[in-house]
Amino acid sequence: MAPVVDSSPARLPVYFISHGAPTLVGSAHPARSELSEIGKEIITVNRPEAVVVFSAHWQAGRDNVEVNVDESTDIIYDFPDDWPQEFRQIKYPHTGSKVIAESVMTKLQNAGIQAKAVYRGLDHEDPDQHYRLGQAIASLRDERVQIITSGMSVHNLEDYLSNMDNLEPKPYALNFDEALKCAVEQEPNVRQQKMAALLDREDFEQAHPTLEHLLPIYVSAGAAEDDVGKRLWTMHEAGLGWGLFRFGLFCPFAHRANLVRHLKGLADVIDISILKPYTKGQNRGWPGWEFPHTDNEYPQSTVDKVFGSDYLHEVYFKDDPHYQGRYTVPALWDKNSKSMVNTESTELLRNLQTGFNDILDSSHASLTLYPKHLQSKIDEIAEWMQRDLNAGVYKAGFAESQEVYDKNVIPVFGALNKIEKIISEHGGPYVLGREMTELDIRLYATAIRFDVVYVQHFKCNLGMIRHDYPVIHNWLKNLYWNHESFRETTNFKHIKENVNPKAITPRGPYPDIEQGIESDFKKLNQGGVQLPEVLAWESQL
């Protein structure tokens, strides 16, 4: 592990991974490729300065946590002697960090959790205590420390070993794995309660005869704080469940996918049904997003054109009658396979650019928002744009304390300051100059909402696009007024009511977007918020 770099306090996501046996390393097991993808994400997107792992294979005493402070440790090969010798040749070159280990211990001790330093090799109860443990070390994420916990979503090893000739999933493995997914994907304010209730299920003792492989995910959920959890993948083998989860790094913008749909000329290929812009239901969100009953009931919302559903959750149940997760948009439905294809806007942003090229005309097929010569630059900027701005406005807006709000509002404007300079230095009219890229799509979905929603409702009021960021403002007006796809996919009534559950729509600001575009971006003076904390954050990007 490398030392913490305090000058780059990016908030990293948290992972729970189901790890399997050492044989996974050289096998063709499906989990191996999924774990590799998470590894690539950590290395190329998160780029942490250090990694801290909480493992099911490292059990301390009942009342304390053991933290490895050794800077050079060997691997413990804790498997039978008759296993292939090549597994004993596996090495994991790394360097431990006493600085980070001591930081972990301090955070735990400050939270009233006993921790002690140990020197040992790399290897093997109360859920609420583990949730609290995660909360205690959550601030490591702001120090670019990657938190990973490791166990199994279902772990009945006896059933697995006794059914090696027939690995058909046990009913309890399927049911408990889905219940875990449902609990983890709940809103953060009820997640801990839902996860604790898993231990009261009738199938719990079958799914986890002992607790050590389940408890690590409670650490992840606690460390996630206000970030939402999502299951990335799972599979089942007899009494095992391979659930992989990530907390954080989520994108709420269906607008992004719709923009690419228009830019690529897919509007006639992929039809769209548009929900009413606000949810109704109980405080836990049920029944959730609603379709109008007729196309005239609510302006620019439509009925469900495929099934005639009243609510979005009904569409999810068409794909999976036992679905227990969150009901989100965008959601891409395949009429031929009668299944939900994708519900992640960041994936659709990329996939829609290439997935239908063989049926498009040459001009639309050749359009790419991720050109090869700009890919590294796009990836670099998209990382902090998503973290500090796209998701940052929500972290500030949904903060439940003054302390959390004060911490989260600063990165929003640090990112805007940096973007103001990037557009200016590249000369416009797009973020990276003469070529429109994914960055323009990512930024537009947030910038078009900023003055009309985020300034007031999310308390992001250190500045406004139209008053404090002349370059971004000119960039925004150019996209809205000069590009039909951006204008057609923008509905200010929907934008304003989306965060107003009572549908009381604010009148201002007026106008929703101003007119008048300067074609020469070099004539514009760079703006920005000059608050010292904002400038300090900007300097780190």
Side-chain angles (χ1 to χ4, degrees):
M1 293 186 294
V4 174
V5 178
D6 295 327
S7 62
S8 235
R11 166 143 285 215
L12 299 180
V14 182
Y15 297 88
F16 169 82
I17 62 173
S18 294
H19 51 235
T23 51
L24 188 67
V25 174
S27 74
H29 193 286
R32 185 177 185 275
S33 62
E34 297 295 331
L35 288 166
S36 295
E37 288 303 311
I38 290 179
K40 292 176 185 176
E41 178 176 282
I42 291 172
I43 292 171
T44 62
V45 178
N46 304 348
R47 291 183 290 180
E49 298 292 341
V51 177
V52 170
V53 177
F54 289 81
S55 172
H57 282 270
W58 190 334
Q59 295 174 265
R62 182 177 181 83
D63 299 320
N64 64 72
V65 176
E66 291 184 353
V67 180
N68 188 6
V69 298
D70 203 344
E71 293 182 334
S72 179
T73 55
D74 295 325
I75 295 179
I76 297 175
Y77 301 100
D78 63 341
F79 39 79
D81 292 337
D82 59 353
W83 277 32
Q85 286 301 305
E86 58 261 31
F87 292 116
R88 298 182 183 276
Q89 306 303 316
I90 295 173
K91 302 295 182 183
Y92 176 56
H94 72 288
T95 302
S97 170
K98 285 187 177 180
V99 173
I100 294 176
E102 290 170 359
S103 175
V104 171
M105 292 175 60
T106 299
K107 293 177 188 297
L108 294 177
Q109 291 164 354
N110 288 344
I113 299 170
Q114 296 184 43
K116 68 176 183 178
V118 297
Y119 295 81
R120 58 167 285 176
L122 299 177
D123 175 45
H124 231 74
E125 322 150 312
D126 178 1
D128 284 335
Q129 287 183 338
H130 284 74
Y131 206 100
R132 189 163 63 90
L133 191 159
Q135 292 171 325
I137 51 92
S139 60
L140 287 171
R141 300 169 61 197
D142 298 318
E143 300 168 4
R144 296 192 61 79
V145 174
Q146 182 70 70
I147 298 173
I148 300 173
T149 70
S150 181
M152 294 288 285
S153 56
V154 179
H155 188 259
N156 188 322
L157 193 59
E158 182 178 350
D159 268 359
Y160 173 76
L161 295 175
S162 62
N163 289 273
M164 293 292 289
D165 295 333
N166 180 13
L167 292 178
E168 182 178 351
K170 299 291 184 182
Y172 68 79
L174 296 170
N175 294 334
F176 188 87
D177 202 29
E178 284 306 300
L180 176 62
K181 174 183 183 292
C182 180
V184 168
E185 293 186 351
Q186 292 291 322
E187 295 295 336
N189 62 326
V190 298
R191 180 172 60 210
Q192 182 174 2
Q193 174 188 354
K194 293 291 186 179
M195 290 181 68
L198 292 170
L199 275 65
D200 297 326
R201 291 176 56 88
E202 291 184 1
D203 55 6
F204 163 67
E205 290 188 359
Q206 283 183 293
H208 287 277
T210 56
L211 268 174
E212 79 283 346
H213 276 75
L214 180 64
L215 289 176
I217 198 169
Y218 290 84
V219 179
S220 284
E225 296 188 314
D226 294 330
D227 283 335
V228 175
K230 183 173 181 62
R231 189 174 71 187
L232 304 176
W233 180 81
T234 194
M235 69 170 291
H236 309 92
E237 296 174 305
L240 298 184
W242 285 86
L244 305 177
F245 292 83
R246 179 180 61 207
F247 298 80
L249 276 186
F250 294 101
C251 169
F253 302 124
H255 196 170
R256 295 176 175 180
N258 196 21
L259 262 174
V260 177
R261 169 178 168 266
H262 275 258
L263 289 168
K264 287 289 292 186
L266 292 169
D268 294 331
V269 178
I270 303 175
D271 201 356
I272 188 170
S273 299
I274 303 175
L275 295 153
K276 295 164 75 172
Y278 51 89
T279 58
K280 290 183 177 180
Q282 304 165 355
N283 60 351
R284 293 183 181 177
W286 184 262
W289 294 103
E290 184 179 8
F291 290 101
H293 294 95
T294 70
D295 287 345
N296 298 321
E297 178 182 326
Y298 192 93
Q300 296 187 36
S301 287
T302 72
V303 298
D304 174 5
K305 299 176 183 178
V306 180
F307 303 111
S309 309
D310 291 327
Y311 294 96
L312 179 63
H313 71 254
E314 297 173 34
V315 181
Y316 274 76
F317 290 152
K318 294 284 186 182
D319 178 63
D320 178 4
H322 304 292
Y323 182 77
Q324 300 183 51
R326 293 158 56 86
Y327 316 108
T328 61
V329 291
L332 183 63
W333 181 272
D334 186 341
K335 293 180 181 179
N336 291 329
S337 65
K338 298 180 181 179
S339 63
M340 194 81 77
V341 177
N342 200 306
T343 59
E344 287 291 341
S345 68
T346 49
E347 294 178 7
L348 288 170
L349 172 65
R350 187 68 54 79
N351 295 340
L352 290 178
Q353 294 182 51
T354 58
F356 298 86
N357 281 348
D358 57 343
I359 62 172
L360 295 176
D361 60 71
S362 58
S363 62
H364 284 109
S366 62
L367 173 67
T368 177
L369 300 169
Y370 192 57
K372 184 168 294 186
H373 66 285
L374 292 176
Q375 287 179 3
S376 60
K377 194 67 176 176
I378 292 171
D379 292 343
E380 175 191 341
I381 296 174
E383 177 188 352
W384 55 259
M385 182 188 290
Q386 169 66 23
R387 181 192 68 222
D388 295 345
L389 181 59
N390 303 138
V393 291
Y394 289 86
K395 294 176 185 177
F398 291 114
E400 296 185 357
S401 71
Q402 185 68 47
E403 180 183 7
V404 173
Y405 164 76
D406 288 341
K407 180 178 70 173
N408 288 328
V409 75
I410 296 301
V412 171
F413 289 90
L416 285 173
N417 279 11
K418 183 69 172 179
I419 293 166
E420 176 86 352
K421 289 182 172 61
I422 290 173
I423 299 175
S424 178
E425 290 167 359
H426 284 84
Y430 307 115
V431 174
L432 294 182
R434 307 307 300 175
E435 291 185 68
M436 183 187 295
T437 69
E438 289 181 5
L439 295 177
D440 296 282
I441 309 300
R442 291 171 177 269
L443 179 58
Y444 182 85
T446 297
I448 199 66
R449 290 162 169 77
F450 201 87
D451 287 0
V452 298
V453 170
Y454 299 146
V455 169
Q456 51 193 332
H457 287 291
F458 286 6
K459 300 175 286 294
C460 294
N461 60 355
L462 293 178
M464 296 180 71
I465 299 292
R466 66 188 66 196
H467 293 155
D468 299 279
Y469 294 96
V471 178
I472 297 177
H473 190 209
N474 198 58
W475 165 89
L476 182 65
K477 291 185 294 181
N478 175 60
L479 289 179
Y480 182 86
W481 293 113
N482 289 338
H483 293 270
E484 186 178 6
S485 295
F486 286 83
R487 191 167 61 255
E488 285 190 352
T489 59
T490 302
N491 184 308
F492 287 105
K493 179 177 174 63
H494 283 225
I495 287 171
K496 290 180 179 182
E497 292 190 0
N498 178 246
V499 290
N500 285 271
K502 295 184 179 180
I504 300 172
T505 307
R507 295 291 297 273
Y510 181 82
D512 291 322
I513 184 166
E514 297 179 353
Q515 299 188 39
I517 302 163
E518 172 56 64
S519 59
D520 187 354
F521 276 68
K522 294 180 180 179
K523 292 182 179 179
L524 300 171
N525 294 322
Q526 291 182 15
V529 170
Q530 302 304 307
L531 185 69
E533 296 163 87
V534 171
L535 296 177
W537 191 276
E538 176 195 348
S539 69
Q540 301 166 10
L541 300 177

